[in-house]
Amino acid sequence: MHEASLAQSIINIAVDEAKKAGCEKIKTVTIRVGTNAGVLKDALVFAFDALKEDTPAANALLQCIEVQPEGVCGECGEVFRFKGYIFVSPCCNSPEFRITRGRELEIVEIEAE
Amino acid sequence: MKIRVVNRILEANERIAEQNREVFQRHGNFVVNLMSAPGAGKTTLLLRTIEMLKERVPVGVIEGDITGTTDAERIGALGVPVVQINTDGACHLDANMINSVLSELPLSEIRLLFIENVGNLVCPAEFHVGEDMKAMILSVAEGDDKPLKYPLMFQESEVLVINKIDLLPHLDSDLDSIRSNALRVNPSLRVFAVSCKTGEGLTDWVEYLLKRVEDRKSN
């Protein structure tokens, strides 16, 4: 996807939240990234480190929590885990399924002082 | 100190998309976000579609391209309001780009608004712009494996228009496998097979669009 613009959004959100809490320096930013979100973690960290200079996040560490994908079968209701892209549920081989996890892209915690 | 936040990183785009949606609803616009790889026939499908339905419903167009105004000029020649967005390198339209041109269109005179996205089979599917319907085009020359290799756009779309079916006799790809691969990725996809060159299949697509506009009006 667009790791540099995502990294910029992460920095903007983190700086805003830190300011709101009356903090000046951000130590860590923790994000949840689904493995099916289309984001390359290494590219995101690289862009974050390049863009954080001269901001309150200049010394911040970006921590990524990976979220493995999960789905629910529309036929039998079974919750299943999977890897990569799937087009049918593994239990019933049914195209009627819903992906419930794995496409997250969100900030969960900022540590600042 | 630790600050707990749950903030979707794409939220800024979602928020502006929601604002766009409110503007469209207020003006009674039904908005179609048209996406495809470069060269699949977005502009030609738009031209044919507008020719067929512009006497039945007032149309407007937002044209997205990396650079240039050739598409907007082609559409403008049909006498419908059109505004061109140049993304200056960006590979998709986002909600903010759409928001920034809304004042340039006579929205209260438009019922059906097409947004022609930047030619790209990946990124446009990631960004909502406030549309009612995502429609995508795949031309038969692109190959019948594309739904399996680029699933997101097929999953996000309500409609798949398979274009250039007049070329099928010259190609190895076949309509049935394009269709079945697309439905494997998204079983609820509405599929239309058309040729913008010969006009085959276009009536079904146009009638479907008109029906969606009507349904919207009566809601």
Side-chain angles (χ1 to χ4, degrees):
Chain A
M1 223 160 93
H2 303 87
E3 282 77 3
S5 51
L6 292 175
Q8 188 62 58
S9 294
I10 293 169
I11 292 170
N12 293 348
I13 294 169
V15 170
D16 281 353
E17 293 289 340
K19 274 186 190 158
K20 265 193 254 171
C23 298
E24 287 172 4
K25 281 187 187 161
I26 299 170
K27 287 159 73 179
T28 58
V29 179
T30 308
I31 62 171
R32 278 158 45 91
V33 186
T35 55
N36 283 26
V39 177
L40 293 172
K41 197 179 111 188
D42 291 349
L44 190 65
V45 171
F46 179 81
F48 180 87
D49 287 341
L51 293 165
K52 70 186 182 184
E53 281 183 31
D54 300 324
T55 76
N59 294 311
L61 179 72
L62 182 66
Q63 290 179 328
C64 304
I65 303 169
E66 277 192 350
V67 182
Q68 297 299 324
E70 226 173 69
V72 182
C73 178
E75 266 180 44
C76 71
E78 185 175 309
V79 175
F80 57 84
R81 294 199 158 192
F82 62 98
K83 279 206 163 30
Y85 286 93
I86 54 162
F87 305 119
V88 290
S89 67
C91 39
C92 299
N93 223 21
S94 164
E96 303 293 332
F97 68 91
R98 199 161 48 84
I99 293 174
T100 49
R101 286 174 49 172
R103 294 203 64 209
E104 295 83 351
L105 185 55
E106 58 198 19
I107 298 183
V108 287
E109 192 178 83
I110 297 156
E111 206 181 339
E113 56 185 25
Chain B
M1 70 192 279
K2 288 188 172 179
I3 307 165
R4 294 288 296 176
V5 285
V6 175
N7 202 326
R8 292 179 63 196
I9 292 160
L10 285 170
E11 193 184 69
N13 186 70
E14 298 295 325
R15 212 167 42 229
I16 301 169
E18 203 46 51
Q19 287 169 13
N20 293 348
R21 200 183 305 278
E22 281 164 21
V23 172
F24 295 139
Q25 270 171 3
R26 201 163 60 239
H27 291 92
N29 311 126
F30 184 82
V31 182
V32 179
N33 181 359
L34 192 59
M35 309 177 291
S36 80
K42 283 184 300 303
T43 312
T44 309
L45 180 72
L46 258 185
L47 289 167
R48 298 287 167 272
T49 304
I50 293 169
E51 282 166 2
M52 289 171 74
L53 54 64
K54 70 171 180 177
E55 302 303 328
R56 295 167 68 187
V57 65
V59 178
V61 179
I62 296 174
E63 270 294 331
D65 282 296
I66 287 179
T67 184
T69 56
T70 48
D71 282 358
E73 286 161 18
R74 288 168 73 193
I75 303 280
L78 294 179
V80 300
V82 55
V83 53
Q84 176 85 50
I85 296 175
N86 280 147
T87 62
D88 286 331
C91 51
H92 59 274
L93 294 174
D94 64 31
N96 194 41
M97 295 179 202
I98 299 300
N99 192 273
S100 66
V101 299
L102 291 182
S103 62
E104 294 175 42
L105 283 169
L107 288 179
S108 50
E109 294 163 26
I110 293 170
R111 293 232 78 84
L112 174 56
L113 178 66
F114 290 104
I115 296 173
E116 183 181 336
N117 220 307
V118 178
N120 180 331
L121 202 52
V122 183
C123 313
E126 302 270 3
F127 294 85
H128 303 302
V129 294
E131 67 279 73
D132 296 289
M133 178 207 281
K134 285 186 166 80
M136 67 168 297
I137 308 172
L138 183 78
S139 67
V140 293
E142 290 169 69
D144 39 31
D145 55 355
K146 290 300 164 293
L148 305 178
K149 293 167 82 170
Y150 300 85
L152 184 66
M153 193 174 286
F154 294 85
Q155 285 166 334
E156 290 283 323
S157 295
E158 173 183 330
V159 169
L160 165 65
V161 177
I162 302 173
N163 190 22
K164 307 191 190 183
I165 56 171
D166 53 292
L167 290 178
L168 282 168
H170 310 285
L171 301 170
D172 292 331
S173 60
D174 77 87
L175 205 50
D176 286 343
S177 41
I178 295 177
R179 200 192 306 263
S180 63
N181 283 339
L183 290 172
R184 238 179 104 189
V185 173
N186 177 0
S188 58
L189 202 57
R190 287 291 301 243
V191 184
F192 298 95
V194 311
S195 163
C196 288
K197 197 173 177 71
T198 67
E200 188 181 347
L202 285 174
T203 307
D204 289 346
W205 149 249
V206 167
E207 291 303 324
Y208 180 79
L209 267 179
L210 287 168
K211 187 172 178 311
R212 291 287 275 117
V213 176
E214 280 303 313
D215 288 351
R216 168 63 182 278
K217 251 194 279 184
S218 53
N219 278 340

